Amino acid sequence: MNDATILLADMTNRARAAARTLATLPTATKAAALRAAAQALRDAAPQILSANATDMAKATEAGLSNAMLDRLKLDSGRVAAMADGVAAVAGLADPVGAIIDESERPNGLRLRRVRVPIGVIGIIYESRPNVTADAAALAVMAGNAVILRGGSEAIESNRAIHAALVSGLVAEGIPADAAQLVPTTDRAAVGAMLAADGSAGAGAIDLIVPRGGKGLVARVQAEARVPVLAHLDGINHIYVDASADPAMARSIVVDAKMRRTGVCGAMETLLIDRAYPDPVGLVSALRDAGCEVRGGPGLRALVPDLVPATDADWDTEYLEAIASAGLVDGLDGALRFIARHSSHHTDAIVANDERVATRFLAEVDSAIVLWNASTQFADGGEFGLGAEIGIATGRLHARGPVALEGLTTYKWVGYGTGQVRG
């Protein structure tokens, strides 16, 4: 085995032992530990911000994109929000042990499906140092051990956050190995995590969650021998129907694109019903907010100075102040377009016609569909789930914002009175 494989084997074996402890801890113990971790993050804010300033300076010098820099940057408000997010998880309902359903067979055998932790979860992520705290808090509350592998651009921030978080957990009786940070930025460590299925006799990771750019997620999905929970792109659409209120449409569209352009819930494509009364107003609102709009032919006939949208634009996650926009032939045109170009992350409709909106919500096959609301609500916290570990766009296990319940599986428990099959 190479050095990275040896390192991960040791980490996964220690995580497996910690997971066995976590799986049986009472809710009160886990909640107290997370509250202590939240306070430790608040107390360590000066050290975390100092570490982040070091990362930001190196990242700026290295020429990271504005979107990546925005994800990397911490300030006092973001550190406070991170700590509040950890504390919020402590107050959520513990899914472990919850009875999903139960039944009794004709022979008297009683069966229950009961939520249990997944076990050991690996998180591979870029920039976003808040993931260090969010992922650890969710994993611990759901009874899982977690192995965190952040990007090299955030190494100092992640180390400072991890140190504070673990100090709080340990103070309340949680094993330190419950939340481990991979100490190296060697890319071989990512490969070792993806191969940690236990086949080589080493400890196994039960689930990998990638958080990062398209390149990272594509690599994880291509190479992993461990189950993966992920989304590849956030190519999110807003369709503005002819029945939409123009003021509401402008407000939603601008917020969806410009509130934070670098998040996966940002709108990337605007679709406008040809019968909508003010398409120029929507384009002007985006441009006034500082967004470059790349238009299809029909829209450029109305706004001639728009940058022409290429075929590639309709399949691009910009993550910056750029949006593609075009006219479609009503709801059917929008549905056809979204089916062809959506990444199945988040798509929204602005409409006053309930029948149109109901069809949109039923027929768009995305993890999140919204009516008269900004796509920027694609976030576990906004859904009342506390911190999120990511957005999943697959169809198995979990979909949309993945929080506590998504970090559990279930087992069947049977209660008999001596039944035999004979």
Side-chain angles (χ1 to χ4, degrees):
M1 291 191 291
N2 60 35
D3 290 346
T5 302
I6 293 170
L7 170 66
L8 262 296
D10 175 64
M11 294 182 73
T12 51
N13 282 326
R14 289 189 284 119
R16 182 67 56 191
R20 287 194 292 271
T21 298
L22 283 167
T24 59
L25 287 178
T27 302
T29 299
K30 294 183 290 187
L34 291 179
R35 287 193 291 269
Q39 187 57 51
L41 288 169
R42 297 184 187 102
D43 294 342
Q47 293 90 337
I48 293 170
L49 291 175
S50 176
N52 184 251
T54 299
D55 287 333
M56 284 293 293
K58 291 179 180 178
T60 302
E61 184 178 347
L64 264 66
S65 69
N66 289 333
M68 288 284 280
L69 290 173
D70 177 63
R71 292 176 178 182
L72 175 59
K73 181 176 175 57
L74 293 175
D75 54 30
S76 57
R78 288 188 179 183
V79 174
M82 187 192 326
D84 290 345
V86 172
V89 173
L92 297 175
D94 187 350
V96 178
I99 299 170
I100 300 172
D101 53 44
E102 56 186 325
S103 62
E104 184 172 327
R105 304 300 300 146
N107 62 6
L109 182 65
R110 291 187 298 116
L111 296 171
R112 285 179 175 175
R113 282 195 303 150
V114 180
R115 290 204 177 277
V116 296
I118 289 173
V120 177
I121 297 175
I123 314 293
I124 303 172
Y125 54 108
E126 295 172 326
S127 296
R128 299 179 178 152
N130 64 289
V131 173
T132 303
D134 292 350
L138 286 166
V140 167
M141 192 63 181
N144 302 289
V146 63
I147 295 176
L148 303 155
R149 201 287 186 179
S152 58
E153 70 285 346
I155 185 64
E156 300 302 332
S157 304
N158 290 336
R159 285 172 175 165
I161 292 167
H162 177 257
L165 187 88
V166 170
S167 71
L169 295 177
V170 169
E172 293 294 331
I174 300 293
D177 290 335
Q180 299 178 62
L181 180 70
V182 175
T184 177
T185 59
D186 187 344
R187 288 175 60 87
V190 173
M193 290 181 71
L194 300 180
D197 63 349
S199 60
I205 293 175
D206 296 297
L207 180 71
I208 292 284
V209 182
R211 293 282 303 269
K214 187 172 183 176
L216 168 68
V217 179
R219 179 192 174 187
V220 169
Q221 292 180 325
E223 298 181 18
R225 298 214 305 260
V226 177
V228 175
L229 194 66
H231 75 271
L232 191 59
D233 289 310
I235 303 175
N236 308 316
H237 300 75
I238 289 184
Y239 165 60
V240 178
D241 185 63
S243 68
D245 175 78
M248 179 190 291
R250 288 192 297 271
S251 175
I252 288 174
V253 166
V254 171
D255 181 85
K257 178 72 247 186
M258 299 301 292
R259 174 189 164 270
R260 287 188 67 184
T261 59
V263 298
C264 64
M267 180 196 76
E268 304 294 9
T269 299
L270 171 64
L271 303 176
I272 308 171
D273 189 343
R274 291 186 193 278
Y276 177 72
D278 189 23
V280 176
L282 288 174
V283 172
S284 297
L286 281 171
R287 296 171 95 180
D288 289 347
C291 181
E292 175 188 315
V293 179
R294 299 179 181 179
L299 195 56
R300 283 190 288 112
L302 301 174
V303 188
D305 64 337
L306 284 182
V307 175
T310 66
D311 290 343
D313 281 312
W314 307 116
D315 297 306
T316 296
E317 183 183 25
Y318 299 108
L319 297 174
E320 55 183 311
I322 303 172
S324 52
L327 302 180
V328 292
D329 294 320
L331 176 62
D332 288 328
L335 292 173
R336 287 192 297 269
F337 190 99
I338 292 170
R340 189 163 60 249
H341 298 285
S342 175
S343 61
H344 308 292
H345 187 296
T346 302
D347 293 299
I349 181 172
V350 185
N352 281 344
D353 187 327
E354 184 175 354
R355 291 173 299 175
V356 169
T358 299
R359 269 196 66 200
F360 181 95
L361 298 177
E363 296 183 33
V364 172
D365 181 25
S366 294
I368 302 168
V369 288
L370 299 165
W371 176 15
N372 288 346
S374 168
T375 57
Q376 297 259 343
F377 282 106
D379 174 86
E382 295 296 327
F383 279 33
L385 302 177
E388 72 175 31
I389 208 160
I391 303 284
T393 55
R395 291 174 174 80
L396 298 180
H397 180 62
R399 206 174 188 205
V402 179
L404 287 178
E405 186 177 296
L407 296 182
T408 62
T409 182
Y410 62 83
K411 64 181 178 184
W412 289 91
V413 180
Y415 300 86
T417 55
Q419 288 88 343
V420 296
R421 288 197 64 175

